[in-house]
Amino acid sequence: MTDVTCRTFIERLDDLTEGRLSPADRGAAEEHLRSCPGCRELERVAAEAGDPVAPPADLLGAVLAITSGSTCGSARARLGDHVDHLLEATDDEMVRMHLEGCDECDRLAAVLARLAADLPSLAELEPDARFVPGVLARTSGRATPAAVWTARLAAGWRRLAHRPRIAWEGAYAGSILMLLLFGAPNAPFADVPGRALVLVRTVQASLPAESAALEAPRIGLALRSRWTGMKARIQDATHDATTTVKRRSSAAWDRLKEELGTMWDRIASGRTRR
Amino acid sequence: MRRFQARVYAVACSYMRNAEEARDVAQEIFVRVYERVESFHGDRAFLPWILRVSRNVCIDALRRQKARPRATDVLSEETVQVASEGPTPEEATASGSARDLLYRAMDRMSDSDREVLMLKEIQGLKVEEIANLLKIPIGTVKSRCNRARLDLAMRVRRLDPSYGA
């Protein structure tokens, strides 16, 4: 190297100050120094700077600890996403660098990776053989939702009907309902009773007198015949019920007497033995 | 039913922590599904729907259990201790040692962590579906899930230092 420019000299300045140049290159560089005051000044400054100070080994960890808290804590907060490859490139690289220097976090990452593979296998757990028959038994006898609601309404009505004062309550509620529908001045059917009365009177007035006289005995006859039939049915039903009650009560009385007699005999025999 | 019975039973076990009760509750879940299947809209995924039903039934059962403690809950302290040290349902049926290890580790986690872990990592629901199911923000689901995974990893390491090595 015989012809050294300023650019070439600057590129080789570090090698020159640290003594790594070959003798030929060193001679050429020194020759350039003699002819170039700018490069001479540069060489002087570089020589005065001396060796650079090596940073302490834990400098990076110490800086991170001050600026972002525990490095392990920060890394662990991102460990799940690191295992799932969801981190951005920069964050992922930082976590990876941390794992290279931290055995504990590295082992945790390995456990997390294994968990990601193992946990989905727990999604299913076979129940025992009684399971399916049990479900079928509980669902096969079940009615449709409509039937279920009907049954619930019927049960509710039965409970209501067993209330001791249901008759009074029903009459009271019915009266209020009738009053609201027909009796109040602004009720929706307030004019119905009046119109019905007018209608009846109109029909009555329009009937001819002779037809009414003919119809009256026929209606009376029909009523009497119906009453006679109904009375006969009521008498028959009453007779049957009385007979049944007599028969059952007689049998029950006989059994009671027999059991009382047996009991008395036992008591008497016990007394005799004593 | 056969397609989802194992999954539903696993979910019931996760909530109830008792094999007999889990089986009863799982049966109740299917009865509830049978009754309410008309409320399922076909345009949605079935798994989140059935998991929602399962969760509701399990929570109802747990509430009933709290209101009316079982006979074993009021037995002597010794009996309870023996019962609690016995294997959980999953432990009893787990075939592999890894599964057994995971069940033991999860058994000691908090209910909320175990629930979100079960829904996301085990049942594979999406974060949005879990947020919708649990009625919590998506960010909360993510952070809770990360915390639960890390917690589980540390518990597993304590139980078996060779796991994952």
Side-chain angles (χ1 to χ4, degrees), chain A residues 28-43:
Chain A
E30 287 172 349
E31 189 181 333
H32 176 76
L33 275 178
R34 280 193 289 276
S35 62
C36 180
C39 287
R40 212 163 38 241
E41 179 63 17
L42 194 64
E43 193 269 341

Side-chain angles (χ1 to χ4, degrees), chain B residues 44-64:
Chain B
R44 294 182 185 173
F46 187 69
L47 181 62
W49 184 79
I50 199 171
L51 288 182
R52 178 189 294 275
V53 174
S54 304
R55 181 175 184 266
N56 291 341
V57 173
C58 288
I59 288 174
D60 287 349
L62 287 171
R63 281 186 187 143
R64 281 200 303 271

Side-chain angles (χ1 to χ4, degrees), chain B residues 1-131:
Chain B
M1 187 177 88
R2 291 190 190 281
R3 187 176 163 195
F4 284 96
Q5 68 179 32
R7 202 174 274 269
V8 165
Y9 182 61
V11 172
C13 284
S14 173
Y15 279 104
M16 303 307 295
R17 323 300 304 155
N18 178 288
E20 284 296 314
E21 284 171 6
R23 200 188 66 225
D24 289 346
V25 167
Q27 288 180 344
E28 198 177 329
I29 290 168
F30 277 107
V31 172
R32 185 85 65 95
V33 167
Y34 172 78
E35 285 175 354
R36 299 190 180 177
V37 74
E38 288 173 2
S39 68
F40 168 67
H41 303 291
D43 55 338
R44 294 182 185 173
F46 187 69
L47 181 62
W49 184 79
I50 199 171
L51 288 182
R52 178 189 294 275
V53 174
S54 304
R55 181 175 184 266
N56 291 341
V57 173
C58 288
I59 288 174
D60 287 349
L62 287 171
R63 281 186 187 143
R64 281 200 303 271
Q65 203 177 80
K66 272 187 183 175
R68 286 176 296 197
R70 288 169 294 150
T72 51
D73 291 341
V74 291
L75 290 179
S76 68
E77 192 179 336
E78 185 184 359
T79 314
V80 174
Q81 195 177 1
V82 169
S84 65
E85 284 175 358
T88 58
E90 300 99 335
E91 288 169 10
T93 52
S95 54
S97 60
R99 287 169 68 112
D100 182 54
L101 174 71
L102 293 180
Y103 283 129
R104 275 192 291 143
M106 280 197 293
D107 197 34
R108 290 159 175 80
M109 292 173 70
S110 71
D111 289 344
S112 61
D113 281 0
R114 191 171 58 241
E115 181 177 46
V116 78
L117 191 78
M118 182 268 294
L119 292 172
K120 184 167 187 297
E121 301 299 327
I122 297 179
Q123 296 298 335
L125 288 192
K126 294 174 187 165
V127 174
E128 294 80 10
E129 291 170 338
I130 298 171

